[in-house]
Amino acid sequence: MKKVAIFDLDHCLVEVNTSFEFVKYILKQEKRFLKLFFLYFAKLLLPFLTFFFPSKTDREIYSKFLKGFKKDVLKQYAGEFAVYIIRNFLNKYLYEEVNKFKEKKDFILILASSGFDVVVEAISKNLGFNFYLGSVIEYSDNICTGKLIKKSDGKKLEFLQDEIFPQIGDIDFHNSFFYTDNLSDIDLAKAIGNSFGIVKYSREAKFWALHNIPVIYKIPVFKHYNYLFIPTLYYFIVRFPTNLIGNIYYHLFFPFMFGVLVSSFSIKNILILLLAFLGYVTLYEIGYILNDCVSVKKEEKPSIRIDPNSLFCKKKNIAILIRVLSFLFISILLIYLTSSVPYLFLISNFLILVIFLIVNNLRQQNRKFLYPFLASSHLVLPPLVFNPHPIYLVPTGLFNFIWHFISAFEKFIVKSNLKIILISLPKILLLFLLTAFNYLKPDLINSKVLLLSFLLCVFDFLYLLKFSLIQLKKGFKKT
């Protein structure tokens, strides 16, 4: 009997979404920059598009940009693209497993992906797989229609049983292997005797643990480790993309609005706020670097954001020294621009760094008690350069602590409904309470404080709206 070794592709064997990258690659080669702009815009709106059109997958949206291309042109580009992806984004640690199975004559290698079939085929040939599975692009007279005639998302087991397994014959599934990062592959993972969830973060590992499936932590691929030595780039390259929309709002937009509200709007003050933000990130990165290069080695369920054995981590002391000197330089610039010493800003930054260093040396289960302080600092610290009135810090502290402190106790939040009850509704109720207090004491709680309070509740309103729409959809289905 033959055995199979099945590998998922996107964010598993390679570190990217091949469908998005393939479309991007073609549009760049064809110099269709307007379409490229709309591609990025579509990616930004993807969470909203897939919510309102749940039957649509991201690949169906990306396939629209391929409309009009000839079949042979797509195949030619797919061949070039496969070489580019393998050279730059191959998960080398997982590919070592592929090579081990190649040496075993009783194993059949299958690359099973939800990506475009033309891309999956090209990559499978380059890597030496026996079979491949992908979402099939539709053609009319050898011209791409921009549609998919077969989507393998969540249906890999079904398609494998219908199309590939019969070609292999008798298969020893108990002693076969499957590697995937895709949570929708759980039915296939349960059907294969040795399945592994490929994860980057500890929160992803919890899903697989619920189904008694072991996990393998993947090491992120970076093309230019040297860039990480430059202050602030570690944050923007390694940490910022992990929660893009949330970080844009809470780490960039909100502190900017906070700074504008507590100071007079001018180019000089915007420059001061920008320098304060860069100074804060520069110093805060030291905690990130020590966590990602040192602390993860001691954790049972780490979140791997960078290879702890990389050259950057080996020379982390140089990176830390660069950041300390950069922070001192930025501090001197801030003193010059503000014509005073921003004691509150400087002391708070060093205090947060000390808390981060303490957190890095605590066990994972004990970190949750100090985590709210770190998370709140992203919102509060940069605007402290203006020495705002303490009343402005009240809503930020209260709202952010409600979110992070309760979230830290994850065992209470077993259902998404409870997130609304425990976190979003209390924050919204607190906003209404402050509004009522403003009516009674307008000289204490002013309109700027209320605006900050509202901005801190925006995502809670959206979450509540999303939950309500889901309940309405369920109600319509029942009727």
Side-chain angles (χ1 to χ4, degrees):
M1 292 179 71
K2 291 288 186 180
K3 302 164 192 168
V4 292
I6 308 170
F7 290 82
D8 185 24
L9 181 61
D10 293 1
H11 300 294
C12 186
L13 191 56
V14 298
E15 286 288 334
V16 292
N17 181 318
T18 55
S19 300
F20 173 80
E21 293 295 329
F22 179 58
V23 176
K24 184 176 79 172
Y25 180 84
I26 290 178
L27 295 180
K28 280 186 175 180
Q29 295 298 317
E30 294 283 325
K31 295 182 172 28
R32 300 190 183 184
F33 299 114
L34 183 61
K35 268 196 169 184
L36 188 62
F37 168 78
F38 283 114
L39 174 68
Y40 279 105
F41 188 64
K43 185 180 181 181
L44 184 65
L45 294 178
L46 197 60
F48 303 99
L49 294 172
T50 52
F51 172 73
F52 287 106
F53 305 99
S55 62
K56 296 286 185 183
T57 64
D58 60 340
R59 286 160 187 84
E60 284 183 281
I61 295 167
Y62 298 146
S63 67
K64 302 294 182 186
F65 293 89
L66 299 178
K67 185 177 180 180
F69 283 97
K70 293 181 179 179
K71 186 175 183 178
D72 58 344
V73 172
L74 291 183
K75 278 203 167 188
Q76 181 185 338
Y77 275 129
E80 298 172 7
F81 177 73
V83 175
Y84 163 75
I85 285 293
I86 292 168
R87 185 186 299 124
N88 293 287
F89 300 105
L90 184 67
N91 185 332
K92 295 178 182 178
Y93 299 93
L94 202 55
Y95 186 57
E96 288 177 7
E97 296 297 314
V98 175
N99 288 327
K100 288 177 185 177
F101 288 116
K102 284 182 183 178
E103 296 171 0
K104 299 176 182 179
K105 294 181 179 180
D106 55 340
F107 270 93
I108 301 294
L109 287 166
I110 303 172
L111 186 60
S113 173
S114 302
F116 299 141
D117 58 337
V118 65
V119 173
V120 182
E121 179 185 13
I123 293 175
S124 69
K125 285 180 179 178
N126 273 270
L127 296 180
F129 281 82
N130 303 105
F131 295 92
Y132 74 91
L133 175 71
S135 296
V136 181
I137 295 174
E138 181 185 70
Y139 298 94
S140 177
D141 296 326
N142 286 324
I143 302 294
C144 178
T145 64
K147 298 178 182 178
L148 301 177
I149 56 175
K150 187 184 77 174
K151 297 183 292 183
S152 54
D153 300 81
K155 297 180 179 179
K156 288 178 186 173
L157 178 59
E158 177 187 333
F159 290 137
L160 286 169
Q161 288 174 332
D162 292 343
E163 300 173 15
I164 295 178
F165 290 163
Q167 298 181 56
I168 298 171
D170 292 334
I171 300 174
D172 179 3
F173 290 105
H174 181 71
N175 291 304
S176 292
F177 288 77
F178 178 43
Y179 301 83
T180 181
D181 76 305
N182 201 327
L183 306 182
S184 66
D185 290 338
I186 190 64
D187 56 343
L188 179 57
K190 289 181 177 179
I192 302 296
N194 301 284
S195 292
F196 298 89
I198 309 301
V199 302
K200 188 189 290 186
Y201 306 116
S202 56
R203 62 176 179 269
E204 297 168 348
K206 291 173 186 176
F207 171 85
W208 300 107
L210 289 173
H211 298 279
N212 297 314
I213 293 174
V215 299
I216 297 173
Y217 282 89
K218 61 182 175 182
I219 307 295
V221 176
F222 294 103
K223 289 188 288 186
H224 304 289
Y225 273 102
N226 289 338
Y227 290 167
L228 301 182
F229 286 95
I230 301 173
T232 73
L233 287 194
Y234 187 90
Y235 168 69
F236 282 108
I237 293 174
V238 178
R239 290 291 189 134
F240 194 78
T242 58
N243 180 17
L244 193 59
I245 295 176
N247 286 338
I248 288 173
Y249 185 82
Y250 287 114
H251 293 187
L252 299 179
F253 174 75
F254 184 85
F256 174 77
M257 289 300 299
F258 193 169
V260 168
L261 288 172
V262 299
S263 65
S264 56
F265 187 80
S266 66
I267 292 178
K268 180 182 177 182
N269 282 345
I270 291 174
L271 178 61
I272 291 171
L273 184 60
L274 177 62
L275 283 172
F277 172 77
L278 294 176
Y280 161 72
V281 173
T282 295
L283 201 63
Y284 197 85
E285 278 186 325
I286 296 173
Y288 279 148
I289 293 167
L290 291 175
N291 178 79
D292 298 344
C293 291
V294 180
S295 299
V296 291
K297 295 180 179 179
K298 307 171 189 176
E299 297 172 4
E300 293 179 9
K301 297 179 180 179
S303 290
I304 306 296
R305 298 179 179 90
I306 188 174
D307 185 355
N309 299 311
S310 65
L311 179 64
F312 174 80
C313 285
K314 289 176 181 176
K315 295 186 176 182
K316 61 184 178 296
N317 291 338
I318 296 175
I320 291 171
L321 178 61
I322 291 171
R323 280 155 175 79
V324 171
L325 294 175
S326 298
F327 181 79
L328 292 174
F329 176 71
I330 290 171
S331 299
I332 292 170
L333 285 178
L334 287 173
I335 292 170
Y336 172 76
L337 288 171
T338 58
S339 303
S340 62
V341 181
Y343 290 108
L344 185 60
F345 172 77
L346 297 175
I347 293 170
S348 299
N349 272 280
F350 279 106
L351 183 61
I352 285 297
L353 178 60
V354 170
I355 292 174
F356 207 153
L357 297 178
I358 293 171
V359 166
N360 283 340
N361 287 284
L362 292 175
R363 292 182 179 179
Q364 278 181 291
Q365 59 267 30
N366 296 329
R367 294 179 181 180
K368 57 191 176 187
F369 299 107
L370 289 176
Y371 180 68
F373 292 97
L374 297 178
S376 300
S377 69
H378 293 290
L379 308 178
V380 177
L381 258 65
L384 289 185
V385 72
F386 297 115
N387 294 314
H389 191 282
I391 193 65
Y392 288 100
L393 303 178
V394 172
T396 308
L398 286 174
F399 283 85
N400 212 41
F401 262 68
I402 289 173
W403 173 265
H404 290 288
F405 193 71
I406 297 176
S407 292
F409 297 91
E410 292 179 1
K411 62 182 180 180
F412 294 115
I413 307 175
V414 291
K415 295 180 180 178
S416 58
N417 304 17
L418 289 178
K419 250 187 176 179
I420 292 175
I421 297 170
L422 292 174
I423 298 174
S424 295
L425 284 180
K427 287 173 71 178
I428 292 170
L429 289 172
L430 184 57
L431 172 62
F432 287 130
L433 186 64
L434 287 173
T435 305
F437 200 79
N438 171 252
Y439 179 77
L440 297 171
K441 292 280 186 179
D443 55 327
L444 185 58
I445 306 292
N446 59 39
S447 57
K448 291 182 178 180
V449 174
L450 285 181
L451 178 56
L452 284 175
S453 303
F454 172 75
L455 292 174
L456 285 162
C457 278
V458 165
F459 271 74
D460 298 279
F461 281 115
L462 292 175
Y463 194 85
L464 199 60
L465 176 63
K466 178 181 176 181
F467 176 75
S468 302
L469 288 172
I470 290 172
Q471 296 306 309
L472 281 172
K473 282 185 179 181
K474 288 180 179 178
F476 283 127
K477 285 181 180 179
K478 287 179 181 179
T479 55

